[in-house]
Amino acid sequence: MFARLVYESFRRQKQRKLLAGAAITLGVTVATAMIGVATDIGDKINRELRTIGANILVTPQEDTLDVEIGGVNLKPPSDGAFLNEADLPRIKGTFWHNNITGFAPMLPVTVTLQRDSETENLTLLGTYFAKKVSIGKEEFNTGVRTTHPWWKVSGAWPDDSSRDVLIGERLAAKLFAKPGDEVMLSGRQLHVSGILSTGGIEDDQIIAPIALAQEILGKPGAVRRIYVSALTKPEDALARRDPKSMSGPIYDRWYCSPYPQSIAFQLQEAIPHSHAEQIRQVAQNEGAVLTRIEGLIFLITLAALFASALAVSAAMATAIFERRAEVGLMKALGAGKVAVASIFFAEATLLALIGGFVGFAAGALLAHQIGRSIFNSDIAIPPVLCDSARALAGDSRDRSNRYVCWKRCCHSQRSAT
């Protein structure tokens, strides 16, 4: 009899049930698509934002020490301290090695340009262009072509094992240099492979493989600074806290979150005698963009679910009002409140299941279309999104398991370092 009553309700109120089902389907479709985009496109957006350039700078620890008395800097006028090039593979040995998309060491040296009977002092910047670095059994391709993607070259990029150089466009215009020319720098005849345009001070410099700069300086393996490009998450209140003031689980959570500060902290642990900090104008702008995108997606999802809930509530309330005679008859025949309410709950459950599954399928197609048309990338919809409560609020048991995993990873990482 119970199934018969539910069946007759759907048969006699087709239009009203279709309206409620359509509202559920629409809400689930939008929620599934938006949550799918938010969960899968985050890394893709972050990688697109990495085209802004490196977001972490590593320098020698001694450079952070100010020696001043009465406002007078007592540091000796030297080239400063250096990092060791042999330590660079350790960057990819940190806990967040998969988040490190590239790094580029820099070594500026002063060279003498000889042309005709005149000499001129210039800055030669040694770096990696697209160097293959061995990390265990793997090879990692890195250099300024990864960390400084806005650098444009007219001609050809030098090979990292060659003695070719790039000349900044302003300096090239001054010297009337062009690709294929030869220049005499500090007694070395070098080949110009291309003209570099960056819009920065590099346009007045000569860019060369770092091995050549180390040779001119007479310090094999020397590195002055390292630019690191890493995938990070936006800052929050925890990210801004001083790790020295943390202890126990709070420190583990901070250490095992991909904040710019925590990745920089681990880079300091990996590279001896170094100081790492985020390049704030890059990292914070990225965080602001990601936060606003996530906030917009969250608001759209809430609006869709709220509108769907209102439509379903209105439809169900109207159905109950129209069926008050039927409810009165059931109560007169001895049906209790639980029995009457269970019929309406069964109808709502069936509508939710049917509309939910149809909406999930439609949301997956919509997310795929959004990914292809806007982000030019496929978006994978995890099946867990079919459970809207778990998708929106998250499962507390899963969060506990992830936290235990954080602690294990952190303790093993600190033990290794």
Side-chain angles (χ1 to χ4, degrees):
M1 179 62 69
F2 181 82
R4 178 75 176 270
L5 289 173
V6 173
Y7 169 76
E8 289 295 329
S9 173
F10 275 85
R11 188 179 68 84
R12 295 180 180 180
Q13 294 183 325
K14 294 180 181 179
Q15 292 183 349
R16 199 169 301 283
K17 293 297 188 290
L18 284 175
L19 178 61
I24 295 174
T25 300
L26 180 60
V28 174
T29 297
V30 175
T32 301
M34 292 297 100
I35 296 174
V37 169
T39 55
D40 193 67
I41 210 66
D43 285 344
K44 296 179 177 65
I45 295 175
N46 210 332
R47 289 185 182 277
E48 289 295 327
L49 292 175
R50 288 286 78 251
T51 59
I52 298 174
N55 53 355
I56 298 176
L57 177 63
V58 184
T59 56
Q61 191 175 36
E62 290 83 349
D63 287 356
T64 63
L65 302 176
D66 292 329
V67 184
E68 292 187 0
I69 297 179
V72 179
N73 194 336
L74 301 181
K75 279 188 177 181
S78 64
D79 288 335
F82 298 95
L83 300 172
N84 191 347
E85 185 183 2
D87 294 326
L88 295 186
R90 296 187 179 188
I91 294 175
K92 288 290 286 183
T94 62
F95 177 72
W96 295 109
H97 60 276
N98 289 328
N99 288 54
I100 304 296
T101 61
F103 57 85
M106 300 287 184
L107 179 63
V109 298
T110 301
V111 295
T112 301
L113 173 66
Q114 300 166 331
R115 62 176 174 160
D116 299 332
S117 58
E118 299 179 355
T119 60
E120 181 181 358
N121 288 334
L122 300 172
T123 298
L124 182 142
L125 181 65
T127 187
Y128 288 169
F129 295 106
K131 187 177 179 65
K132 288 185 177 180
V133 179
S134 297
I135 304 167
K137 297 181 180 179
E138 300 180 357
E139 285 190 343
F140 179 67
N141 198 21
T142 187
V144 293
R145 299 182 70 174
T146 301
T147 61
H148 296 65
W150 66 89
W151 283 19
K152 304 300 180 184
V153 172
S154 175
W157 285 91
D159 188 88
D160 286 285
S161 59
S162 70
R163 298 178 71 82
D164 296 344
V165 299
L166 298 174
I167 297 183
E169 62 176 359
R170 286 195 295 265
L171 180 60
K174 178 181 176 181
L175 301 178
F176 301 101
K178 60 184 182 299
D181 289 352
E182 302 289 330
V183 293
M184 185 66 68
L185 296 175
S186 297
R188 297 168 176 82
Q189 187 169 358
L190 306 175
H191 177 74
V192 179
S193 66
I195 306 300
L196 176 67
S197 174
T198 68
I201 60 173
E202 294 84 6
D203 289 349
D204 295 306
Q205 298 176 349
I206 298 173
I207 316 299
I210 196 169
L212 180 59
Q214 293 166 349
E215 177 188 321
I216 295 174
L217 186 62
K219 293 182 180 291
V223 173
R224 192 72 179 85
R225 57 184 180 270
I226 308 169
Y227 288 94
V228 180
S229 180
L231 301 176
T232 60
K233 66 178 294 184
E235 286 186 348
D236 53 22
L238 177 62
R240 300 184 185 95
R241 291 184 57 180
D242 183 0
K244 295 180 182 178
S245 65
M246 304 178 194
S247 61
I250 301 299
Y251 176 81
D252 289 335
R253 182 183 171 193
W254 177 87
Y255 191 91
C256 291
S257 298
Y259 299 124
Q261 297 94 325
S262 60
I263 295 179
F265 182 79
Q266 294 180 40
L267 290 175
Q268 286 184 188
E269 293 181 325
I271 303 176
H273 312 295
S274 67
H275 172 76
E277 60 182 357
Q278 62 170 319
I279 303 175
R280 291 192 174 273
Q281 62 267 35
V282 174
Q284 291 187 352
N285 286 338
E286 290 178 0
V289 171
L290 286 173
T291 301
R292 289 170 184 173
I293 292 175
E294 291 174 357
L296 177 61
I297 291 175
F298 181 68
L299 287 176
I300 293 174
T301 303
L302 284 183
L305 292 177
F306 183 69
S308 175
L310 285 179
V312 173
S313 299
M316 295 299 295
T318 304
I320 293 174
F321 180 78
E322 291 179 349
R323 296 168 64 184
R324 62 187 184 279
E326 179 183 341
V327 172
L329 178 60
M330 287 190 291
K331 293 181 70 66
L333 293 175
K337 293 182 179 180
V338 175
V340 175
S342 62
I343 295 175
F344 291 98
F345 279 121
E347 294 176 9
T349 301
L350 284 175
L351 282 174
L353 289 175
I354 297 172
F357 281 113
V358 174
F360 179 79
L365 293 176
L366 179 59
H368 177 76
Q369 184 62 30
I370 291 174
R372 297 303 301 174
S373 60
I374 298 178
F375 300 104
N376 194 28
S377 175
D378 290 326
I379 294 179
I381 301 295
V384 72
L385 290 185
C386 193
D387 184 355
S388 59
R390 186 175 179 181
L392 292 174
D395 184 69
S396 60
R397 183 179 57 190
D398 286 348
R399 289 199 296 270
S400 299
N401 291 339
R402 287 198 296 270
Y403 181 68
V404 172
C405 180
W406 276 347
K407 294 189 67 175
R408 290 177 180 173
C409 292
C410 290
H411 290 314
S412 63
Q413 170 65 13
R414 288 203 297 273
S415 299
T417 55

